[in-house]
Each structure stands twice: as structure tokens, then as C-alpha cells.
Amino acid sequence: ELKIAIIGGGSSYTPEIIEGFIKRRYELPVKEIHLVDVEDGMYKLEIVGALAQRMVEKAGVDIDVILTTDRRSAIKGADFVTTQFRVGGLAARARDEKIPLKYDVLGQETTGPGGFSKAMRTIPVIMDICKDIEELAPNAWLINFTNPAGLITEVVEKHTKVKVIGLCNVPVGMVKMVADMLEVDSEKVSVDFVGLNHLVWGQKLFVDGKDVTKWVLDKLSDGAALSMKNIPDLKWDPVFLESLGMLPCPYHRYFYMTDQMVKDQKKAVEEGRGTRAEQVQQVERELFQIYKNPELQEKPKQLEKRGGAYYSEAAVSLISAIYNDKKQLHVVNIRNNGTLIGLPQDTVIEVTCLIDKTGAHPIQVGTLSPKIYGLIQGVKAYEELAVEAGVKGDYGLALQCLAIHPLVPSATVAKQLLEDILVENREYLPQF
Ligand code: NAD
Ligand code: G6P
Ligand code: MN
């Protein structure tokens, strides 16, 4: 029987993961789910936790859902720990999104300086969580969902003994969207994903063994949707797509259409629509109003307004693949180990892996096209420096890290960004 600890249990996504455990009750004998939050998050945890308890009760499954601020007791003896916490909440995210715009730089939760800022706040907390896991649940798997997911997974991989797999809903989401375009079941679609978190390409796409890459790119050129709720669905240039010859992920717009995306973000702020964090604050208020209804016993439709759709499916199916030794393919964030030539062995990449009881085993991807490897290496170098800067609290490394980010125009701007980020996040950055 399994014990699960979910760190950041007050997240509005919690009904998703609970639904996932309910759906897979016949393959995963979960006995206890501990939803962990901090004092500040208790009011959310109580609302969403009560809904989780009603969901479990309605389904008639024998799972105890425990709400707690005692992280150590939740982690003790856990088989799986999942992380979905947000240090500083959406208010901090809104600042991450706004600071870069002052310098005409992209303001985004995970990509660019906003992602750096979120990482710096998250690193001290993830390190503490890992100390608890090392001590109290050394055999547990950590399924990290906390963003920037690849970078945070790399912190754990490099600086702790915890067994970790990082997870994002983008690859599963892309497969679903491609399946919809082709009007086939998702299981029929296979994609060789490669890259980093939120910087992942589908190199080739197959249905029933037939190469459909060109067909899908043509559809995308014709305006088919391939995006997430949190990313403006700006259309791809057909000539660009054809010459790329691979499927970009929705987040690639931030790199390939930077100017338009920044313009779009500035306009949203000027017109009072606010940054994505500010929009999400509104969605969250609505969601928690709905969650409060004692009649509600299932995940409400309105949760689809968040960008994290299919997250439970990704997380719980991954947990089941490990537990049941399924030897199934999943796209996860994992130690490179020589898979991507040209990147250090101990860095974390996002790639298709075979999942079994012993973890995630990357599928060999061969030599990458120069169309994509430069961008991967550039962003990975930024991530490596961010990991070290955040763990050590090193100003110089932080400056170098921002200065080489492909979306930061100069060292001068990097320094201004860094100063602003350090000042605005002072209470969350004990390491600096
Ligand atoms: P949220 O703001 O609702 O935060 C979730 C909970 O974390 C809150 O209840 C908060 O009180 C709690 N929290 C804050 N600090 C904590 C700490 N030190 N220990 C325990 N709990 C703490 O956030 P959200 O929008 O639900 O997102 C949660 C996280 O999941 C974010 O990091 C987000 O980026 C990430 N996420 C990742 C993906 C992905 O694809 N990997 C998808 C969606 C969300
Ligand atoms: C996508 C990404 C997540 C991200 C989310 C944001 O699903 O994969 O990593 O956290 O979108 O959604 P939100 O609703 O918070 O803007
Ligand atoms: Mn993601």
C-alpha cells in the first residue's frame, strides 16, 4: 500500500491529481495522500482538501486524504513525493512577469529572467524538502512539477541524493493536440521529443508507423491550434515551420517570436488585462468559490482555464509506470547521461524515456540538427549557472547566468534585472 505526499497541496490543481489517483485505483493501491502546505496556504488547503475528500468519498475508494502543515510527518515513509508549490505565490509571479518588461525583455513565469527569479526563490525550499526525503524516505521517488521544472530537477539531481524525475504537461498536451488534428487516439501518436523543459521539439511524428511530421506542420501552418491556455496562440510562419521540419512546443514562441510576444505582454498590461499571473489570480478566485460548494464532488470544468491541463494524467500515469514496472514511454526531465551529445552528463534534459521500477531511461536521440542544438546549449548553460548561483547564493554567477540568456540583450540589462529581482524577492532569498 502506498503513501503519497503532495507538497503544495493547496494548489488549485490538486483535484486533478486526486482524480488521477481515483481513476487508477485498480493499478495503484494508494492508502494515504498527505496534502502539505504552509501556514499562509492553509485557507486554500482547507477548501481544496475538503473537495479532495469529497471526491474520494464519492468514488468509494479507501484513500485517506490528510491535510497538514507538518511536512516531515507527511514525507516520513512516503513512496512518492510530488512537488507543486509556488514560493511567494502568484504575487511573486506577477512581479517576475513585470520586472523584465521594464527593459523590453520577455516577462514570463518560467522562460527568461522570470524563470530565473522563480528558480532562486524555489531552490532553498526544494533543498530543504530533499533533506527531509533523504532522512525520512530515502527510497521515495520525487516527482517534481514545481517550475522551472527542468532547472529545479537539475538542482535535486546535482545537489542531493534524492531519486528525482521532473514532469511537465507540455509533451502530453502536444500529443493530444496532434491526435485531435489527425482524429486518432493519443496512443496511436508517437513523437521523439528532445530538448529541455519548455524548450522541447518533436523531431519526428508517427501514427501507426507512418511519418506524419510534414502533414502536422502543414496543419499548423494552416492555423491549427497548438498552444496552452497560458500562452497566446500566435500563428507560426509557414515558411519558418517548413524549414524547421520539426514540431516546436508552444513555449518556443518566446524564442522564435520574441518581439511579438513582448509586445503582446506589454499591451496586456497597458490595457489593464494584466500579466498571466494577474489573470490567474482571477481564475483562482472563481475556482475556490466553486470548490467551496459542499455539493461539488468532482473536478470542475473551470479548471481547464489553467495551463496545467492533463497534469494529473502525466503525473499519475508516470507513478503507475514506475510502481508497476511498466516499461512504458514517458517524456520526462532526467539526467542527460550522454543522451544529448554536447551537453554535460549531469545536466537535466527533457526527452522520451523508458520507465520501469528503477526509474527513467532516456531513449538515444543521436546527433541533433544545428537548427536546435545551439538554442538547447545556450539555454542549458544559463540553467547550469542558475543552479549554481541559486544553491550558493553567488551574485557573480547569477549575473553571468542572466547575461548569457538568449532573451537578455546585454550584460548591462542583465545587471539591472538582477538588482531588481534581488530587491523585490529579498524575503524569499536567504541564500543571497
Ligand atoms: P499556487 O500558487 O496555488 O501554489 C500551490 C501551493 O504551494 C499554495 O497553496 C502555496 O501556499 C503552497 N506553498 C508555497 N510555499 C510552500 C512551501 N514552502 N511548502 C509547501 N507549500 C508551499 O501554485 P499553482 O499555480 O498551483 O502551481 C504550483 C506549482 O506547480 C508552480 O510552481 C507551478 O509553476 C507548477 N506547475 C507546473 C506545471 C508543469 O508543467 N510542470 C504545470 C502547472 C503548474
Ligand atoms: C503549462 C506549463 C506549466 C505552467 C502552466 C501555467 O501547463 O506546462 O509548466 O505552470 O502552463 O499555467 P497558468 O494557468 O498558471 O498560467
Ligand atoms: Mn510545464
Side-chain angles (χ1 to χ4, degrees), residues 11 37 44 84-86 109 118 145 147 167 306:
S11 163
D37 215 290
K44 281 170 67 182
Q84 52 173 42
F85 60 92
R86 184 190 294 284
E109 173 193 25
K118 190 177 197 300
F145 205 63
N147 274 318
L167 195 58
R306 296 296 306 272

Side-chain angles (χ1 to χ4, degrees), residues 272-289:
R273 278 176 285 137
T275 66
R276 176 66 188 168
E278 289 162 336
Q279 293 160 10
V280 169
Q281 279 170 327
Q282 182 56 34
V283 173
E284 242 197 14
R285 274 191 288 273
E286 288 167 25
L287 277 174
F288 277 87
Q289 256 341 94

